[in-house]
Amino acid sequence: MIEAVIATSDLCHDYAHGQQSYRVLNNINLSVARGETIVLLGASGSGKSTLLNLMAGMEPIQRGDIQLFGQSLARMDDRHRTLLRRESIGFVHQAFNLIPTLSVADNVSLPLALAGIPRLQSDHRRQELLEAVGLAGRGSDWPDRLSGGEQQRVAIARALAAKPPLILADEPTGNLDADNGQRVMHLLARLVAENSSSLVVVTHSLDVASIADRSFALSAAGLRAVDTTAAGAAGAW
Amino acid sequence: MIHLMVTGAAPLLARSSIRFYRRHPAQLMLSVLGIILGVGIVTAVLITNSSATAAFSLSTEALYGRSSHHLVAADGIEDASYAELRLAWPEVPMAPIIEGYVAYDNSVLTLIGVDPFAEAVFARFGNAGVDDEGLPVTTELLSDPRGVLIATAVADRQELEIGTTLKVQTPTGMIEVLHAGRLDASNPAAVDGVLLTDISRAQTWLGRSGRLDRIEVVLEDRDVDRFVASLPPTLKLEAAENRRATMQAMTRGFQINLTAMSLLALVVGGFLIHNTMSFAVLQRRELFASLRISGVTARQIMYTVLAEAAVVSLVAAALGVLLGRIISEGLIALTTRTINDLYFVLHVQDVQMSLATILLGITLGVSTSLIAALASALDAAATSPLAARQRSSTEERTRRLIAPLAAVGLVLIFAGGVLALLPSLSLLVGFAALMLLILGYGLTLPWLIHRLARAAVSLWGHIGVLAGLALGGIERDISRTSVAIAALAVAVSATLGVDVMTGSFRSSVDEWLGTTLASDVYVSAPSVRASDGALLEPALMEVAAATPGVHKVSSGRALDLSTSAGRLDTLILEPHDTSAESFEFVSGDPDSAWQQWRDEGAVLISEPLATKHGLDVGSRMSLFTASVGDQEFSVAGVFRDYGSSHGKLMLSRAVFDTYWDDERINTLGILLDNAPQNEQAAVIETLRQRLAQAAGRALEIRSGRSIHEQSLAIFDRTFEVTGVLRWLTVGVAFIGIFSALLALHLERAKEFAVLRASGATRAQTATLVVLQSSFMGLLAGLLALPLGYIMSLLLIHVINVRSFGWRMHADVAPQALLAALALALLAALLAGLWPAIRLSRGGIAQQLRDD
Ligand SMILES: Nc1ncnc2c1ncn2[C@@H]1O[C@H](COP(=O)(O)OP(=O)(O)O)[C@@H](O)[C@H]1O
Ligand SMILES: [Mg+2]
């Protein structure tokens, strides 16, 4: 078997609701190959965000395991998960989540700075990315002066800044109108491809499913592979 | 408010406010706590002052009662004069009084000797001489030559039973008195601390046989002139009111200073409230914008914010008043001790918390809060519905605002400076100047902070990403950070100012004690209070001078003289060759002043006396002498003296002997021959024996050194109250910075989650918080230094001079500056720890989800 970028094995996750706990993720087995783009579908509340957060090492694993570049996240403490995330994962959120008091340029540089990349090098990389997302002239602006689509492009630039081999995107177009959503999704796909990174993207938008190498639907029953064709996907949810 | 009610939007807006504070309970609690503390401190001081004043008037009322005037003489009235007066004016009620201090079981009591027959007319000691059931005690007890009536409060405290004897220390030594009955007044507190006995017993015990302190008289206005005309020149009639006023004036400066300190705490509290309210507004900018979009007017928003401040501060101020009542217990104890140390014996039994005090405390708290909230309310109302949604517009608006604010601040500082330099003696003007300076500086702070933070970014921002984020965050979040830093800076500067003032004061006093206590050894009769003037036989001077090893002897006599500047502590000094060196003249040429005083019958006055009565070299003042009554003297010099804020007069023995027929003295100042310490110790031992033998009792012999130390100890006790208030102020400031940092960092919880999602470790985010907090503390500390320094100058050169008449040199100890810096840094660091821990604990996914 070719080495996977990330692979979950029998991953389960429960949330406590008052006294009771209920299962959100039930025996999830998903493996993402290098350079592969995976689309995750599923009804709201089906656990897509939970799965992505677990994959990014942002929440401790309860049962099962996730192998990120061959390393077990379940057996890692928060610090090591963070360091691994810093090196290998870029995250794009539905709500953009730019830091409002950092300029656009500084937002993009943030992961580079956190990783201790020298200033000169990081300035160069930042400029490259801003150009790639078409915001070269907006570096000194405040994030809240940008439109939603522009903000999400900054967020994509930020996620890609440290050239992580894996990008996780949680409904990146969920807060955008259809046109903007389409543009942002294609930009993301293109940049990920140029970087030869892998991408796991959660989305409801049907036609973006076409960029996927493989698609899955998440539900209480578990993970189920679906057709990447529009028609097939439609039946999946 | 009316506007709100009419529109019917009030309940909705109120619900929105309540929901906001319920979601931010810590923030609400902290701001409430700040107001509670601020109001508590002010109220405690108000209660303390009014309790002391009330106790004072209660006791003067009970003791001076109906008397309209007092007859006094230069040094006591002879019994015979009283008898003559009685015969000459049978229709005028008169009561002779002698008063002095005695001690029992470590507490100082006032021994009052009265004429029981004369007292009947005055009826002031309502229930004098009753037993435990309130029935009159037997005359048998009263006629016992040791009999005294003991104030009920004292008897209860000391558990003294009627008919028992107790050993009491008097100026003439230990004596045994008999508890013959209780001394009750309608209010027992009025006569607290009093032992009442008959005149002749009191005269004997106090060592003033044949003399009365004063005769109290009840005169109709129309009789006054005739009465005065009939008096011999040795007697003087004073209005009873004057005496009361003089005593009250003594403690006034002290009380005013306490009040000022407490107001300072309230100002710091005000900054804190401003801090909290502006956060509460900033955090709801989006909410307010939504409300505005849905049709709520700017004015309604403003009223909502003000109403919030009013409700929160009303509740907090009411609790603050309660806290003040609790703090006041301790404060009253400290203050009474100081008044007893410095001025007169006072027993405060009743804590006075009048409705006026309660209302004043609440009003001060609420109005400070409203003023502090006004800026935020206007701010909330002024932003356009759309712009308010953008965080960057808030920051930009703030950045645009800080320069004009700083300009206004500079104008206020300038106005404060001008006020401070005005040649006025008004304390009020002095405090106004102080407040203007604090406020003005507070307004320039955001600009300074922005500048400094920006400079720090360019200096150290590239050191590391965390340093860059931490420093940059201060500049970028200037609307939030500047308020917090400014509040801390003002609080720290207040403590620094008070610190430097106290330190300067202490070192001036220390230095002054060093020069003024020029003799090696001081001899005095054992006395209950240092200033109660137990007498020594003049012959002791020769005994001392004749002792081998003694170089020079000077003598001093303390008197309470009636002068054109009121009643004054007077020192009659028979100097020795080097006595002149123990005076530092602040006005007048030292040599000629000394010479005129010694040889030409001029007087020397202390600095507070000169300041308060506008006297200087060449001024004339009249003293009431024993032989010719009022007599004019010219002032030859003004000497430094921290012994009495009321003022002090010095007469030479030669002049005194001309106008008084009274050889007695209170102290001997002895200069020893230069010799090794052990030989000097032997000389002192010989002195002790010889003087005791000559006097027929043991005398107190103390080194200049030990008096020096004791005086400093009293000084330190005096400033203990100030110290307590200072720490309470620091407490208010700490709560301020804590709540500010908590709000600042928790508001950014989501940002921290984003940082963590982007690869920042927990340690990194915690370091970021701590770094930023410490840098804010450092900034606050640095910015506190200039204001603290200026405040200390103002306290030293304006406030102190105006409230006490004492001038001193400013003495800025580097430790004080370092301590201020450390205080700010530590407060900020401690305040940053909790948010640091909380933020790094929080789950990332959870934070990102909360949107
Ligand atoms: N921290 C949490 N505590 C309790 N329940 C949670 C928590 N986070 C998510 N959930 C619940 O888990 C379920 C899955 O959530 P999520 O992963 O966000 O779903 P999706 O992203 O597919 O909409 C939802 O029902 C949500 O309410
Ligand atoms: Mg989701």
Side-chain angles (χ1 to χ4, degrees):
Chain A
M1 182 179 151
I2 32 160
E3 196 206 315
V5 169
I6 193 164
T8 70
S9 47
D10 297 331
L11 187 65
C12 299
H13 201 81
D14 298 337
Y15 279 122
H17 267 239
Q19 296 291 352
Q20 297 174 327
S21 80
Y22 80 102
R23 181 142 297 189
V24 180
L25 298 180
N26 192 14
N27 288 321
I28 304 296
N29 289 292
L30 172 67
S31 163
V32 183
R34 191 178 297 277
E36 193 181 20
T37 292
I38 301 245
V39 166
L40 217 50
L41 302 161
S44 176
S46 59
K48 307 179 294 293
S49 296
T50 305
L51 178 57
L52 247 57
N53 289 337
L54 285 169
M55 288 165 95
M58 296 202 290
E59 262 182 87
I61 290 171
Q62 294 170 348
R63 259 183 66 186
D65 196 2
I66 297 177
Q67 299 276 327
L68 185 55
F69 297 101
Q71 302 188 50
S72 160
L73 286 185
R75 265 176 279 145
M76 232 178 255
D77 62 9
D78 180 81
R79 190 180 133 72
H80 286 96
R81 290 202 308 266
T82 306
L83 294 178
L84 194 57
R85 171 165 74 245
R86 181 194 282 176
E87 276 169 24
S88 45
I89 293 176
F91 209 103
V92 181
H93 314 263
Q94 173 175 358
F96 323 143
N97 282 341
L98 298 178
I99 294 185
T101 51
L102 288 181
S103 68
V104 165
D106 285 345
N107 264 288
V108 176
S109 310
L110 188 63
L112 300 172
L114 284 171
I117 308 282
R119 184 70 172 267
L120 221 63
Q121 216 173 313
S122 88
D123 280 357
H124 178 75
R125 173 76 179 141
R126 181 192 69 204
Q127 206 45 40
E128 193 177 280
L129 279 163
L130 281 176
E131 270 162 34
V133 299
L135 293 168
R138 308 294 298 270
S140 56
D141 266 345
W142 297 111
D144 58 15
R145 291 292 159 88
L146 304 184
S147 72
E150 287 167 337
Q151 288 190 43
Q152 194 59 302
R153 274 140 66 193
V154 177
I156 289 169
R158 178 177 68 185
L160 289 162
K163 298 192 180 164
L166 174 62
I167 304 289
L168 302 175
D170 192 355
E171 300 189 44
T173 61
N175 285 7
L176 300 176
D177 59 60
D179 271 1
N180 263 315
Q182 190 127 19
R183 280 176 43 210
V184 162
M185 191 55 91
H186 282 125
L187 178 70
L188 180 61
R190 179 166 59 80
L191 291 177
V192 167
E194 280 172 20
N195 229 15
S196 37
S197 304
S198 311
L199 172 66
V200 179
V201 58
V202 172
T203 182
H204 290 306
S205 150
L206 282 184
D207 34 325
V208 295
S210 60
I211 61 170
D213 298 318
R214 289 190 288 159
S215 295
F216 293 93
L218 190 59
S219 66
L223 201 60
R224 179 169 60 84
V226 290
D227 269 354
T228 48
T229 60
W237 59 291
Chain B
M1 306 292 156
I2 292 165
H3 184 65
L4 265 179
M5 288 174 202
V6 170
T7 59
L12 270 177
L13 292 175
R15 273 211 296 283
S16 160
S17 298
I18 290 168
R19 177 156 166 70
F20 171 77
Y21 284 111
R22 283 177 90 167
R23 285 186 58 183
H24 298 84
Q27 204 171 331
L28 181 65
M29 289 264 288
L30 287 169
S31 72
V32 166
L33 203 59
I35 303 173
I36 291 178
L37 258 183
V39 171
I41 295 170
V42 176
T43 314
V45 169
L46 285 174
I47 293 175
T48 303
N49 282 346
S50 63
S51 303
T53 308
F56 174 78
S57 10
L58 203 59
S59 69
T60 45
E61 197 57 39
L63 299 184
Y64 299 148
R66 283 180 55 211
S67 65
S68 64
H69 292 80
H70 298 163
L71 266 176
V72 295
D75 180 33
I77 302 168
E78 284 173 36
D79 279 347
S81 309
Y82 170 57
E84 281 163 28
L85 270 172
R86 278 229 86 123
L87 282 175
W89 294 86
E91 74 280 14
V92 173
M94 289 182 205
I97 297 267
I98 182 164
E99 231 180 79
Y101 293 114
V102 298
Y104 173 69
D105 191 28
N106 281 332
S107 69
V108 177
L109 305 170
T110 310
L111 177 71
I112 301 180
V114 295
D115 172 357
F117 297 105
E119 280 306 318
V121 185
F122 281 72
R124 54 183 142 188
F125 300 110
N127 267 338
V130 292
D131 63 15
D132 298 336
E133 270 80 52
L135 302 168
V137 287
T138 58
T139 38
E140 209 175 310
L141 283 172
L142 288 174
S143 55
D144 188 294
R146 300 165 304 167
V148 293
L149 300 180
I150 300 181
T152 300
V154 177
D156 287 348
R157 247 195 324 265
Q158 306 277 11
E159 294 173 1
L160 301 172
E161 273 176 37
I162 292 175
T164 58
T165 58
L166 46 150
K167 280 199 164 22
V168 171
Q169 156 128 49
T170 69
T172 54
M174 278 296 205
I175 56 153
E176 195 170 77
V177 300
L178 175 75
H179 180 10
R182 286 168 171 261
L183 173 61
D184 253 338
S186 50
N187 183 341
V191 290
D192 193 0
V194 168
L195 295 187
L196 192 71
T197 192
D198 127 312
I199 287 250
S200 61
R201 285 173 214 162
Q203 284 173 331
T204 315
W205 294 339
L206 295 172
R208 299 215 294 269
S209 290
R211 300 243 159 198
L212 304 169
D213 272 338
R214 61 177 187 272
I215 300 169
E216 307 200 342
V217 290
V218 183
L219 275 179
E220 304 290 331
D221 284 345
R222 58 188 147 82
D223 292 337
V224 171
D225 288 341
R226 251 177 351 114
F227 188 80
V228 170
S230 77
L231 291 175
T234 50
L235 289 185
K236 183 166 180 165
L237 190 72
E238 289 180 340
E241 193 42 49
N242 284 356
R243 196 184 185 92
R244 235 168 283 175
T246 310
M247 287 179 85
Q248 205 133 42
M250 284 200 244
T251 55
R252 207 182 66 113
F254 180 67
Q255 296 194 339
I256 288 179
N257 246 342
L258 276 189
T259 311
M261 281 296 297
S262 71
L263 285 178
L264 209 57
L266 193 66
V267 170
V268 172
F271 266 87
L272 172 57
I273 296 160
H274 170 66
N275 194 1
T276 318
M277 285 313 295
S278 54
F279 270 105
V281 167
L282 282 169
Q283 285 170 338
R284 275 177 298 172
R285 290 185 81 89
E286 295 197 4
L287 169 71
F288 288 149
S290 309
L291 288 172
R292 297 273 284 116
I293 291 169
S294 9
V296 175
T297 66
R299 185 173 288 216
Q300 282 174 316
I301 301 264
M302 188 181 84
Y303 284 147
T304 307
V305 172
L306 285 180
E308 274 171 20
V311 170
V312 169
S313 62
L314 195 65
V315 174
L319 290 173
V321 168
L322 286 183
L323 178 72
R325 174 66 181 73
I326 296 167
I327 303 177
S328 70
E329 299 268 338
L331 221 50
I332 287 174
L334 283 176
T335 316
T336 324
R337 207 177 58 184
T338 298
I339 292 178
N340 289 349
D341 276 347
L342 299 183
Y343 307 108
F344 42 78
V345 174
L346 184 70
H347 292 264
V348 181
Q349 241 185 29
D350 292 341
V351 176
Q352 292 284 323
M353 184 149 107
S354 62
L355 189 64
T357 306
I358 296 174
L359 289 181
L360 188 58
I362 291 181
T363 311
L364 278 173
V366 173
S367 53
T368 310
S369 308
L370 285 182
I371 292 170
L374 191 64
S376 315
L378 289 173
D379 187 41
T383 28
S384 85
L386 291 173
R389 303 194 63 125
Q390 297 181 335
R391 176 59 198 277
S392 66
S393 75
T394 314
E395 298 308 323
E396 235 152 61
R397 232 174 77 83
T398 311
R399 250 170 289 221
R400 272 201 309 275
L401 256 175
I402 55 182
L405 268 186
V408 173
L410 282 180
V411 172
L412 292 187
I413 291 175
F414 182 76
V418 170
L419 265 193
L421 295 177
L422 278 184
S424 149
L425 276 184
S426 155
L427 247 187
L428 205 67
V429 172
F431 282 127
L434 189 64
M435 292 299 160
L436 277 179
L437 273 179
I438 296 177
L439 205 65
Y441 192 74
L443 289 180
T444 57
L445 277 176
W447 185 81
L448 283 171
I449 292 163
H450 188 233
R451 286 288 141 144
L452 287 175
R454 185 177 274 186
V457 171
S458 56
L459 268 177
W460 303 306
H462 58 272
I463 289 179
V465 58
L466 293 180
L469 273 174
L471 297 178
I474 295 174
E475 191 213 332
R476 287 185 209 104
D477 282 343
I478 192 77
S479 68
R480 273 92 158 144
T481 54
S482 64
V483 192
I485 298 175
L488 184 60
V490 168
V492 170
S493 69
T495 66
L496 175 62
V498 171
D499 242 10
V500 170
M501 187 271 283
T502 320
S504 304
F505 203 169
R506 195 179 196 280
S507 80
S508 295
V509 168
D510 195 9
E511 201 184 293
W512 168 73
L513 286 169
T515 45
T516 203
L517 296 168
S519 298
D520 295 315
V521 182
Y522 292 86
V523 181
S524 59
S527 66
V528 175
R529 294 184 79 226
S531 59
D532 72 357
L535 292 166
L536 288 179
E537 300 74 5
L540 293 178
M541 226 178 141
E542 273 104 71
V543 175
T547 306
V550 168
H551 182 54
K552 292 287 179 198
V553 181
S554 63
S555 78
R557 168 74 191 276
L559 267 186
D560 183 24
L561 279 196
S562 172
T563 77
S564 51
R567 294 198 75 85
L568 286 179
D569 281 345
T570 309
L571 175 68
I572 290 110
L573 181 70
E574 181 168 3
H576 55 58
D577 304 352
T578 53
S579 292
E581 288 162 21
S582 62
F583 287 87
E584 186 191 337
F585 287 95
V586 294
S587 176
D589 168 60
D591 290 338
S592 77
W594 187 257
Q595 187 255 326
Q596 281 175 33
W597 171 79
R598 197 186 49 202
D599 306 330
E600 294 165 28
V603 299
L604 297 176
I605 59 174
S606 74
E607 189 182 18
L609 181 57
T611 312
K612 284 191 178 150
H613 294 274
L615 299 170
D616 204 345
V617 174
S619 306
R620 301 189 70 79
M621 55 191 298
S622 86
L623 313 184
F624 189 68
T625 66
S627 57
V628 298
D630 282 323
Q631 172 71 32
E632 286 234 321
F633 293 86
S634 81
V635 174
V638 178
F639 60 93
R640 189 181 295 287
D641 174 73
Y642 296 117
S644 152
S645 66
H646 185 49
K648 203 165 178 175
L649 181 73
M650 198 168 69
L651 277 184
S652 76
R653 186 80 214 184
V655 170
F656 183 72
D657 287 344
T658 314
Y659 296 98
W660 276 263
D661 179 23
D662 180 353
E663 291 189 309
R664 291 167 306 171
I665 55 178
N666 298 108
T667 54
L668 293 179
I670 297 174
L671 214 54
L672 301 177
D673 286 332
N674 264 336
Q677 202 159 15
N678 57 339
E679 282 178 33
Q680 287 196 340
V683 174
I684 293 173
E685 202 35 54
T686 316
L687 263 175
R688 190 185 300 281
Q689 285 166 11
R690 289 194 177 194
L691 289 171
Q693 199 178 16
R697 63 201 154 129
L699 298 181
E700 253 176 44
I701 301 191
R702 303 177 56 198
S703 68
R705 189 72 248 155
S706 82
I707 298 178
H708 189 140
E709 275 158 17
Q710 199 198 0
S711 306
L712 278 184
I714 290 180
F715 177 92
D716 291 338
R717 272 160 65 166
T718 307
F719 279 92
E720 237 167 61
V721 190
T722 318
V724 168
L725 290 181
R726 204 193 64 170
W727 281 112
L728 288 173
T729 310
V730 170
V732 178
F734 178 75
I735 293 172
I737 187 78
F738 183 71
S739 66
L741 286 181
L742 195 64
L744 183 72
H745 292 309
L746 294 188
E747 186 196 26
R748 291 166 33 180
K750 186 155 183 196
E751 277 178 48
F752 280 93
V754 174
L755 276 176
R756 299 264 288 118
S758 307
T761 59
R762 277 192 180 141
Q764 276 179 316
T765 48
T767 310
L768 176 60
V769 174
V770 169
L771 258 182
Q772 196 175 57
S773 308
S774 337
F775 189 71
M776 287 172 72
L778 189 68
L779 262 185
L782 284 175
L783 290 168
L785 298 184
L787 179 60
Y789 181 64
I790 293 172
M791 271 171 76
S792 73
L793 291 186
L794 217 66
L795 286 171
I796 291 171
H797 297 305
V798 178
I799 306 290
N800 249 317
V801 173
R802 290 179 194 181
S803 49
F804 299 116
W806 285 319
R807 275 169 227 281
M808 59 196 107
H809 47 83
D811 183 9
V812 187
Q815 301 96 284
L817 300 181
L818 285 179
L821 262 183
L823 179 66
L825 197 61
L826 201 71
L829 196 64
L830 279 178
L833 279 182
W834 169 239
I837 292 169
R838 260 195 70 174
L839 280 174
S840 56
R841 287 276 160 79
I844 314 171
Q846 185 62 39
Q847 290 293 354
L848 290 175
R849 195 183 296 270
D850 286 346
D851 197 17

